[in-house]
Amino acid sequence: MNEQLLSVGIDMGTSTTQLVLSKLYIQNLASSFSVPRLVITDKEVVYRSDICFTPVLPDNRIDMQQIQKFVEEQYVKAGISKDDIQTGAVIITGETARKENANEAVLSLSGFAGDFVVATAGPDLESIIAAKGAGAHTYSKDHSTSIVNIDIGGGTSNLALFHHGELIDTGCLDIGGRLIKVDQQSHEITYIAPKIRQLAERRGIELVLGQRVTPETLKPIIGEMVKLLEESVGLRPLGDFYDTIVTNKGLKLEQTIPCISFSGGVADYIYQEAEGDVFQYGDIGILLGRAIAESPLVKQMTVARSAETIRATVVGAGSHTTEISGSTITYTEESFPIKNIPILKLASVDEAGDSSQLAQAITDKLSWFKLNNDLQRVAIAIEGKNSPSFAEVQKYAQGLYQGMSELIEREYPLIVIVHHDMAKVLGQTLYALLDYKKDVVCIDSVQVDNGDYIDIGKPIAEGKVLPVVIKTLVFH
């Protein structure tokens, strides 16, 4: 079976909102006698929208009417109606995700397509999505190296570290191109973010509202921002302001990072020279990009050119795959359908140790899925083993049980995804450890990654097979 789907990705970020339309080519790779395995064989971006500043009301809420109007206008420009779209994703990121009506705004857009992924991404999940959109994970795998991607937007710089294609760590700093806003005509400062104001005071740099500025007068404060980025990837020792500028956490920096890539709106001015007035966007984004291009971040590290910069998140949000689970599953209660669940995929090094090491890795990485310190509903994915021994099953079950303790306290069921065929025995063992008091869904034969979302449908074939739709943020 070959099929084409039209998909839309909508991204509402701190500074900008945009959408991308993609044509997806779907093929069933399974034989006639197997459970269907539907995958994307090719993707073609057919329309890239205008980019508008994310509209915010005077009370600091998202202007949903303006967002909807923008999306409708872009559909008209693309020559399509929302009925033409079969799938897609709405992702809200950065400072916008912290707005009071963020979830309401995302849900208001979900009606602009059929079966949507709807997600509010905290800083860690945003780091993962952007880095994969930039192609950092592919570069890391293809070149057998470590690489950090820094996605520099209007309000934050999101970091994701990959080693040989596997996600190792994430971080986020409150550094971005719109933390200082400058009037395009008068070149007077109209806004200074609190942390940047504090940084200027700490360093004795004059920076006040109404101050008329030039690239030269802004050079000292931008230089301090770049130094903090250098600290974040280990190019200089951590300074006295580093902990203050960190949004939620920084990278662990347990190894030297040889390679770097950049995405986000500021990245365009790292990779290429800007034309026209440096204050044409009413902020310091162009100057920040230029300063990074002349810094040790570029001079001392191997720079990989990103596949996408400002559109890294939105291009990925418009590309999905669909898969069906394999032959073994465990589910203790029919609590389906379950929708829009982000996936935490453990690295191979996390599974190589004993159960306590596995548990610690899960505990540490669950923080990626916290928004305003509140843990989202998360599915844990592991590779598992082919024909595992009793001891290996016990190790996985104990590690999952201990590491998922924060999820166990929640009302919803535990969801575990295993690549290899061991879901039935693992799910039953985990259920026993939970004293049969916590619902478990454990499925196998599905390949997933960090940044993916999963929908789980109802059991079919007398409960023997559980259909699973994987909505994957696929980046090329």
Side-chain angles (χ1 to χ4, degrees), residues 226-460:
V226 175
K227 287 178 183 177
L228 288 162
L229 291 174
E230 292 168 10
E231 292 175 20
S232 74
V233 297
L235 289 183
R236 62 170 64 230
L238 300 184
D240 63 335
F241 202 77
Y242 182 76
D243 288 342
T244 302
I245 208 68
V246 167
T247 308
N248 59 337
K249 69 180 185 68
L251 298 178
K252 292 188 177 68
L253 299 177
E254 296 172 344
Q255 60 185 36
T256 300
I257 307 171
C259 303
I260 192 168
S261 60
F262 300 95
S263 59
V266 172
D268 285 331
Y269 307 105
I270 300 173
Y271 291 120
Q272 63 190 30
E273 187 67 28
E275 297 180 358
D277 183 7
V278 295
F279 298 123
Q280 61 187 279
Y281 300 115
D283 58 33
I284 61 166
I286 293 175
L287 293 176
L288 180 58
R290 285 182 178 179
I292 292 170
E294 296 300 321
S295 75
L297 290 164
V298 171
K299 304 296 185 182
Q300 295 182 18
M301 302 178 75
T302 299
V303 179
R305 184 66 183 253
S306 296
E308 295 285 344
T309 52
I310 193 170
R311 300 183 191 271
T313 303
V314 72
V315 167
S319 304
H320 305 263
T321 66
T322 300
E323 293 191 8
I324 302 296
S325 78
S327 57
T328 64
I329 62 99
T330 295
Y331 64 95
T332 56
E333 290 291 336
E334 190 174 328
S335 53
F336 310 114
I338 301 172
K339 295 178 67 65
N340 295 325
I341 309 300
I343 293 170
L344 166 57
K345 174 67 165 63
L346 297 178
S348 55
V349 66
D350 299 330
E351 299 183 40
D354 58 21
S355 60
S356 62
Q357 291 171 299
L358 179 62
Q360 189 60 54
I362 295 171
T363 301
D364 291 344
K365 293 182 177 182
L366 277 176
S367 65
W368 296 349
F369 298 87
K370 289 186 177 180
L371 183 64
N372 298 327
N373 211 33
D374 183 37
L375 181 62
Q376 301 180 56
R377 195 174 185 178
V378 181
I380 307 296
I382 59 176
E383 282 295 306
K385 298 277 188 178
N386 275 319
S387 304
S389 66
F390 174 78
E392 287 172 328
V393 172
Q394 290 293 317
K395 182 202 85 167
Y396 277 107
Q398 287 285 352
L400 289 163
Y401 173 72
Q402 295 168 22
M404 298 173 75
S405 60
E406 193 171 355
L407 289 171
I408 290 171
E409 296 172 1
R410 305 301 175 98
E411 295 180 2
Y412 37 77
L414 295 185
I415 303 173
V416 178
I417 304 167
V418 193
H419 184 204
H420 292 295
D421 188 3
M422 58 179 287
K424 188 171 185 178
V425 63
L426 177 62
Q428 290 174 348
T429 305
L430 185 58
Y431 191 39
L433 285 174
L434 292 163
D435 197 24
Y436 307 102
K437 295 177 180 178
K438 181 72 178 180
D439 293 334
V440 176
V441 176
C442 191
I443 60 178
D444 62 26
S445 301
V446 180
Q447 184 70 56
V448 296
D449 200 357
N450 290 294
D452 294 355
Y453 284 76
I454 185 171
D455 281 5
I456 306 178
K458 294 182 178 180
I460 59 173

Side-chain angles (χ1 to χ4, degrees), residues 63-131:
D63 190 334
M64 292 186 293
Q65 289 187 340
Q66 286 299 316
I67 291 284
Q68 290 182 357
K69 181 181 178 183
F70 169 76
V71 173
E72 289 170 345
E73 288 174 349
Q74 297 308 307
Y75 280 12
V76 171
K77 283 189 175 184
I80 60 104
S81 72
K82 62 182 181 181
D83 294 334
D84 297 327
I85 299 173
Q86 293 100 325
T87 186
V90 180
I91 306 293
I92 185 167
T93 58
E95 292 294 321
T96 310
R98 305 178 198 179
K99 303 296 184 187
E100 180 184 337
N101 64 335
N103 286 334
E104 184 183 356
V106 171
L107 292 172
S108 74
L109 283 179
S110 65
F112 280 85
D115 193 12
F116 260 85
V117 169
V118 180
T120 303
D124 295 291
L125 187 54
E126 182 181 357
S127 298
I128 297 167
I129 293 172

